[in-house]
Amino acid sequence: MSIFARSPADRVIVVGAGVAGLATALRLAPRPVTLITAAPLGAGTATGWAQGGIAAAVAADDAPSLHADDTCAAGAGLTEREVALRVAEAGPGLIDWLVALGTGFDREANGSLALGLEAAHSRRRIVRARGDSTGRTVLDALVCAAQATPSIEILVAGLHGLMRDADGRVRGVVCERDGVAFRLPARAVVLATGGVGALYASTTNPRGALGRGLLAAARAGAALRDLEFVQFHPTAIAAGRDPMPLATEALRGEGARLIDEFGAPVMAGIKGGDLAPRDVVARGIFQALGRGRTVYLDTTGRLGERMPQRFPTVAALCAEARIDPAVQPIPVRPAAHYHMGGILVDEAGRSTVPGLWACGEVSSTGLHGANRLASNSLLEALAFAPRIAESIGDASVLAGADRPAPLPEIRPEDPAVLIATRGILERYVGVVRDEAGLSQAVAQLTDLSERGSDAAATGLMIARAALGRRESRGAHWRSDYPGQLPARHSVVTTAAADALVLQELTDA
């Protein structure tokens, strides 16, 4: 059956074909699903670039409660303990589900899962595949499963916006393919569109990670939470590429050290050292760069010699940059990597707008708080997918509204304006922030947004949230407000189309 022939009363639309979108579509089977992907299936998604792995408490000396403890500690007071525990408890079963789909995780000689260690984890719990190719391996398995599932139809198209009926319920999407825009009514829409990293000049994310799903949800009236918390991966390879290749955190778990050009340890005297939480390491490197130092990830010696086998992805990236990690340290710097903020959702992935769900990086579930624990991202998406599917299945089917009204559409970006937007976010809304810089960002992004840039409009929401949080917490570091206030979330809502109101809510 054609996607255009399906009844809106039956159709569920999932936008995005990374781990979040694919897992949700598979969990919805046999319900009819139209999976919308901006690039051919298996391409253009951050999932395929994920190197580290999936955190899961499967070792004999581990437990979900310990995993939840580490998640809460990294989240700097904003992680919701019950969410962290629920996701951690789901971890082992989700690994089993992926294995049943054909995911080939690395194993020890005795057949047990090979487990790695990453920063801020108290146990070895990082389940990996093909060394540092976990994301690609998991994505390939999910793509094969989706292609073999009759209830899932794939549509390569760009998201232009959502549609909403007179009661305020999301009832479909507006898409574009081959230069033609068209409407797809549906009973439910799941946004799994990823993050915002490509709004920054230095990023490890695909170029399409411009927060389109975030902006579409805002224009539908959905509440957005904690937009100011952007995670900067400390060890992007500084080799002149855009996006920047990533040197996985697992390298430091295996003994790699951060040094400057004189061989001095960059993280000396800082609690946790090279294995401190990501925000701490990113600031340490950023401050060293600010002092005129050059920062390297030192893998020379035995670790570098083993990299083609243990970390083949990083080894290949180094080879492309003409770096031999066995004898040369790898130049690194922080880069925008993951957005902890997103569409505010409940325990079943429901947004504050009826008919709209969100899964993965585009959502704010309460798991990551102010700073995501390494290798919890794929886990979060996998854990919420079945909850979303169950919630949609339980939702009542509404009759009528076959032609809901489209909301303001997301427009193509002018390349020069996008470059300007990326530069503003990089300079003023980066690893370390202050009021003067954030005020500059708000003023400049407001001007670009009023001139028609949706990327600037999304960046403006992030800059406004960062300006409003006058404290330092997790990935949000204010040099002018280094202390902490009582823990609270920031929530953005839309009073009218594109009229944003920032509210400070006391954390319950």
Side-chain angles (χ1 to χ4, degrees):
M1 179 185 293
S2 164
I3 57 172
F4 299 102
R6 283 184 166 177
S7 166
D10 296 328
R11 180 191 289 132
V12 175
I13 291 176
V14 177
V15 186
V19 62
L22 287 165
T24 300
L26 288 167
R27 296 290 193 173
L28 279 161
R31 185 180 299 279
V33 172
T34 298
L35 182 67
I36 298 174
T37 173
L41 202 60
T45 171
T47 295
W49 296 4
Q51 294 178 3
I54 302 172
V58 297
D61 66 343
D62 204 356
S65 60
L66 297 176
H67 185 179
D69 288 343
D70 292 344
T71 299
C72 291
L78 289 183
T79 292
E80 297 171 15
R81 168 75 188 183
E82 64 276 13
V83 175
L85 185 57
R86 189 165 59 241
V87 171
E89 289 173 341
L94 294 168
I95 297 298
D96 292 340
W97 183 70
L98 289 172
V99 169
L101 291 180
T103 308
F105 290 113
D106 293 348
R107 296 185 179 270
E108 304 290 358
N110 64 4
S112 63
L113 290 167
L115 302 176
L117 176 68
E118 291 185 343
H121 285 273
S122 60
R123 298 289 189 276
R124 284 187 168 270
R125 64 167 69 99
I126 312 305
V127 181
R128 64 178 189 263
R130 290 158 50 199
D132 56 357
S133 300
T134 307
R136 183 76 256 169
T137 305
V138 170
L139 183 64
D140 288 346
L142 293 173
V143 166
C144 287
Q147 290 174 329
T149 302
S151 59
I152 300 174
E153 291 187 324
I154 312 299
L155 173 63
V156 179
L159 175 68
H160 270 214
L162 300 173
M163 295 191 295
R164 194 174 56 186
D165 65 20
D167 295 325
R169 183 182 184 89
V170 168
R171 296 300 300 268
V173 301
V174 178
C175 292
E176 179 272 329
R177 183 174 62 182
D178 299 328
V180 178
F182 56 91
R183 303 178 183 185
L184 282 181
R187 70 179 297 252
V189 174
V190 182
L191 292 176
T193 51
V196 300
L199 293 174
Y200 286 79
S202 298
T203 182
T204 64
N205 288 181
R207 290 181 178 272
L210 295 172
R212 292 177 183 274
L214 202 66
L215 185 60
R219 287 176 173 169
L224 313 179
R225 182 168 67 174
D226 295 340
L227 299 184
E228 62 271 34
F229 294 114
V230 178
Q231 185 172 77
F232 298 86
H233 198 291
T235 54
I237 300 175
R241 286 178 52 184
D242 179 22
M244 297 178 71
L246 184 66
T248 175
E249 195 163 288
L251 283 162
R252 283 178 281 134
E254 297 298 324
R257 297 169 58 248
L258 290 163
I259 61 172
D260 64 16
E261 67 269 36
F262 303 111
V266 170
M267 298 300 293
I270 298 176
K271 183 180 178 181
D274 292 324
L275 289 178
R278 281 184 177 174
D279 63 305
V280 176
V281 180
R283 283 196 298 277
I285 295 174
F286 180 85
Q287 290 162 353
L289 295 172
R291 296 193 299 270
R293 300 273 69 86
T294 303
V295 178
Y296 298 90
L297 185 65
D298 185 9
T299 63
T300 57
R302 178 59 180 152
L303 177 58
E305 293 169 357
R306 292 191 298 115
M307 278 180 62
Q309 294 75 42
R310 175 62 181 87
F311 299 100
T313 300
V314 180
L317 293 170
C318 287
E320 291 176 12
R322 299 184 178 179
I323 299 169
D324 182 352
V327 297
Q328 298 171 272
I330 305 167
V332 295
R333 59 158 298 157
H337 181 63
Y338 190 89
H339 194 202
M340 277 78 69
I343 302 166
L344 175 60
V345 298
D346 65 9
E347 70 281 354
R350 287 178 292 240
S351 78
T352 57
V353 175
L356 182 65
W357 284 255
C359 188
E361 189 174 355
V362 74
S363 68
S364 174
T365 66
L367 177 66
H368 304 308
N371 187 45
R372 177 177 68 89
L373 183 67
S375 290
N376 265 358
S377 56
L378 299 183
L379 174 67
E380 177 192 45
L382 292 165
F384 272 82
R387 292 178 169 273
I388 291 169
E390 181 180 2
S391 173
I392 291 174
D394 291 341
S396 59
V397 179
L398 300 181
D402 285 352
R403 295 189 60 82
L407 293 159
E409 293 187 12
I410 299 170
R411 296 149 292 195
E413 288 293 328
D414 178 279
V417 175
L418 181 57
I419 290 172
T421 297
R422 298 182 76 197
I424 294 166
L425 270 292
E426 181 81 15
R427 181 176 181 181
Y428 298 123
V429 200
V431 177
V432 177
R433 306 159 176 181
D434 61 33
E435 184 165 1
L438 291 170
S439 296
Q440 283 278 355
V442 168
Q444 294 178 26
L445 291 169
T446 297
D447 177 62
L448 293 177
S449 176
E450 290 175 348
R451 288 159 52 187
S453 170
D454 288 322
T458 306
L460 177 60
M461 294 192 294
I462 297 170
R464 281 176 170 166
L467 182 61
R469 184 174 287 276
R470 296 182 175 181
E471 64 163 349
S472 291
R473 182 180 298 276
H476 172 73
W477 191 265
R478 290 282 297 263
S479 60
D480 50 349
Y481 292 100
Q484 284 193 354
L485 298 171
R488 69 196 188 283
H489 292 291
S490 62
V491 176
V492 177
T493 59
T494 50
D498 297 323
L500 302 174
V501 179
L502 182 66
Q503 298 177 322
E504 292 294 331
L505 300 185
T506 302
D507 185 24

